[in-house]
Amino acid sequence: MIHILDHQHDQIIDTLQNKANAQPFFDDTHTATIKNEEHFHFSTPYDGSGHLTARNRIVIPDEDGHYREFIIDETVKAGSEKEVYTRASFRELKKQKVITPRTLDGQTVDTALDFTLDGTEWKRGITEFGGIRSLTIEQHTN
Protein backbone atom coordinates (compact mmCIF):
# COMPACT_ATOMS: atom_id res chain seq x y z
CA MET A 1 0.00 0.00 0.00
CA ILE A 2 1.17 3.51 -0.82
CA HIS A 3 -0.18 6.45 1.19
CA ILE A 4 -0.18 9.81 -0.57
CA LEU A 5 0.22 12.88 1.67
CA ASP A 6 -0.49 16.51 0.83
CA HIS A 7 2.79 18.44 0.87
CA GLN A 8 1.36 21.41 2.77
CA HIS A 9 -0.54 19.66 5.56
CA ASP A 10 0.99 16.16 5.73
CA GLN A 11 -2.51 14.67 5.71
CA ILE A 12 -3.24 11.40 3.88
CA ILE A 13 -5.23 12.36 0.79
CA ASP A 14 -5.24 9.07 -1.12
CA THR A 15 -3.93 5.52 -1.16
CA LEU A 16 -2.82 3.12 -3.85
CA GLN A 17 -3.10 -0.60 -3.35
CA ASN A 18 -3.34 -3.70 -5.42
CA LYS A 19 -6.76 -4.87 -4.25
CA ALA A 20 -10.15 -4.98 -5.94
CA ASN A 21 -11.86 -1.58 -6.32
CA ALA A 22 -8.67 0.33 -5.50
CA GLN A 23 -6.25 2.45 -7.50
CA PRO A 24 -3.39 0.01 -8.29
CA PHE A 25 0.34 0.54 -8.65
CA PHE A 26 2.95 -1.63 -10.37
CA ASP A 27 6.58 -1.79 -11.52
CA ASP A 28 7.64 -0.44 -8.12
CA THR A 29 11.36 -0.27 -7.38
CA HIS A 30 12.98 0.84 -4.12
CA THR A 31 16.72 1.60 -4.30
CA ALA A 32 19.22 2.83 -1.73
CA THR A 33 22.90 3.56 -2.32
CA ILE A 34 25.94 3.78 -0.07
CA LYS A 35 26.05 7.53 -0.79
CA ASN A 36 22.87 8.03 1.24
CA GLU A 37 20.60 8.27 -1.80
CA GLU A 38 17.24 6.55 -1.70
CA HIS A 39 14.60 6.46 -4.43
CA PHE A 40 11.23 4.85 -5.07
CA HIS A 41 9.77 4.56 -8.56
CA PHE A 42 6.39 3.16 -9.54
CA SER A 43 3.66 3.36 -12.17
CA THR A 44 -0.10 3.64 -11.91
CA PRO A 45 -2.97 4.09 -14.39
CA TYR A 46 -3.06 7.73 -15.52
CA ASP A 47 -6.75 8.23 -14.76
CA GLY A 48 -7.39 8.75 -11.07
CA SER A 49 -3.80 9.66 -10.21
CA GLY A 50 -4.42 13.39 -9.67
CA HIS A 51 -2.83 13.48 -6.21
CA LEU A 52 0.48 12.23 -7.56
CA THR A 53 1.97 15.67 -8.17
CA ALA A 54 5.36 17.23 -7.48
CA ARG A 55 6.21 17.84 -3.82
CA ASN A 56 3.41 15.63 -2.48
CA ARG A 57 4.77 12.85 -0.30
CA ILE A 58 4.25 9.12 -0.31
CA VAL A 59 4.74 6.67 2.52
CA ILE A 60 5.51 3.01 1.91
CA PRO A 61 6.37 0.07 4.15
CA ASP A 62 9.96 -1.08 3.69
CA GLU A 63 11.37 -4.59 3.70
CA ASP A 64 11.57 -4.57 7.53
CA GLY A 65 7.98 -3.40 8.07
CA HIS A 66 8.98 0.19 8.91
CA TYR A 67 7.58 3.13 6.99
CA ARG A 68 9.65 5.22 4.57
CA GLU A 69 8.66 8.69 3.37
CA PHE A 70 9.48 9.97 -0.11
CA ILE A 71 8.86 13.24 -1.94
CA ILE A 72 7.53 13.13 -5.48
CA ASP A 73 10.13 14.71 -7.76
CA GLU A 74 8.60 14.05 -11.14
CA THR A 75 5.69 12.36 -12.85
CA VAL A 76 5.71 11.33 -16.49
CA LYS A 77 2.73 10.36 -18.63
CA ALA A 78 3.57 7.20 -20.53
CA GLY A 79 0.56 6.23 -22.63
CA SER A 80 -2.26 5.33 -20.26
CA GLU A 81 0.10 5.18 -17.29
CA LYS A 82 1.76 7.69 -14.99
CA GLU A 83 5.34 6.99 -13.92
CA VAL A 84 6.20 8.49 -10.53
CA TYR A 85 9.77 9.26 -9.44
CA THR A 86 10.52 10.05 -5.79
CA ARG A 87 13.45 10.57 -3.44
CA ALA A 88 13.77 10.05 0.30
CA SER A 89 12.37 12.95 2.30
CA PHE A 90 15.30 12.94 4.73
CA ARG A 91 17.36 14.49 1.91
CA GLU A 92 15.42 17.72 2.55
CA LEU A 93 17.18 18.01 5.91
CA LYS A 94 20.41 18.70 4.04
CA LYS A 95 18.95 22.02 2.82
CA GLN A 96 17.57 23.16 6.17
CA LYS A 97 20.57 23.68 8.40
CA VAL A 98 24.33 24.07 8.31
CA ILE A 99 26.11 22.95 11.46
CA THR A 100 29.24 24.92 12.30
CA PRO A 101 32.38 23.27 13.70
CA ARG A 102 32.14 22.74 17.46
CA THR A 103 32.44 20.18 20.22
CA LEU A 104 29.32 19.00 21.99
CA ASP A 105 30.34 17.72 25.43
CA GLY A 106 28.26 15.37 27.56
CA GLN A 107 25.70 14.55 24.87
CA THR A 108 23.11 11.80 24.90
CA VAL A 109 21.45 10.63 21.70
CA ASP A 110 18.46 12.82 22.60
CA THR A 111 20.43 16.02 23.22
CA ALA A 112 22.62 15.56 20.13
CA LEU A 113 19.57 14.95 17.93
CA ASP A 114 17.67 17.87 19.45
CA PHE A 115 20.65 20.16 18.73
CA THR A 116 20.96 18.87 15.17
CA LEU A 117 17.25 19.15 14.36
CA ASP A 118 16.66 22.50 16.08
CA GLY A 119 15.43 25.05 13.53
CA THR A 120 14.28 22.43 11.01
CA GLU A 121 10.87 20.94 10.29
CA TRP A 122 12.05 17.60 11.68
CA LYS A 123 11.74 16.30 15.22
CA ARG A 124 13.33 13.45 17.10
CA GLY A 125 11.53 10.14 17.25
CA ILE A 126 11.88 7.43 19.86
CA THR A 127 15.50 6.81 20.88
CA GLU A 128 17.21 4.59 23.41
CA PHE A 129 19.78 5.74 25.92
CA GLY A 130 23.26 4.85 24.69
CA GLY A 131 25.34 6.63 27.27
CA ILE A 132 26.95 10.04 27.27
CA ARG A 133 29.53 11.02 24.68
CA SER A 134 31.36 14.03 23.32
CA LEU A 135 30.81 14.81 19.68
CA THR A 136 33.30 16.87 17.67
CA ILE A 137 32.18 18.45 14.43
CA GLU A 138 35.41 19.36 12.62
CA GLN A 139 34.00 21.14 9.57
CA HIS A 140 30.78 22.75 8.38
CA THR A 141 28.26 20.04 7.65
CA ASN A 142 24.57 19.53 7.01
Side-chain angles (χ1 to χ4, degrees):
M1 177 183 286
I2 298 175
H3 292 88
I4 305 168
L5 286 69
D6 176 75
H7 71 280
Q8 292 181 346
H9 307 291
D10 288 333
Q11 300 293 319
I12 296 174
I13 53 176
D14 205 354
T15 58
L16 303 175
Q17 54 185 321
N18 294 321
K19 293 185 178 181
N21 301 321
Q23 179 77 11
F25 65 94
F26 43 89
D27 297 335
D28 52 310
T29 306
H30 178 210
T31 58
T33 68
I34 58 172
K35 292 186 176 186
N36 221 10
E37 294 286 333
E38 188 173 3
H39 301 275
F40 183 68
H41 165 76
F42 66 96
S43 297
T44 189
Y46 190 79
D47 61 330
S49 60
H51 292 119
L52 294 171
T53 59
R55 301 298 303 160
N56 274 356
R57 297 171 187 246
I58 64 165
V59 176
I60 63 166
D62 68 10
E63 295 79 15
D64 298 323
H66 299 101
Y67 289 97
R68 311 291 294 175
E69 182 184 61
F70 295 85
I71 297 174
I72 298 173
D73 269 337
E74 179 182 19
T75 61
V76 177
K77 186 174 193 248
S80 62
E81 298 173 2
K82 181 182 269 191
E83 295 178 5
V84 181
Y85 298 89
T86 70
R87 63 183 161 73
S89 63
F90 67 80
R91 299 289 296 163
E92 291 289 299
L93 186 57
K94 191 173 188 174
K95 301 176 191 174
Q96 292 186 9
K97 183 177 182 177
V98 175
I99 301 171
T100 58
R102 66 183 64 218
T103 298
L104 302 172
D105 289 318
Q107 298 292 302
T108 65
V109 171
D110 289 349
T111 58
L113 279 172
D114 290 344
F115 166 77
T116 303
L117 298 175
D118 185 47
T120 72
E121 69 178 87
W122 295 79
K123 62 182 179 180
R124 175 176 40 88
I126 299 169
T127 59
E128 294 184 22
F129 182 75
I132 296 174
R133 304 268 193 284
S134 290
L135 175 67
T136 301
I137 302 166
E138 296 179 351
Q139 54 187 311
H140 287 81
T141 189
N142 52 23

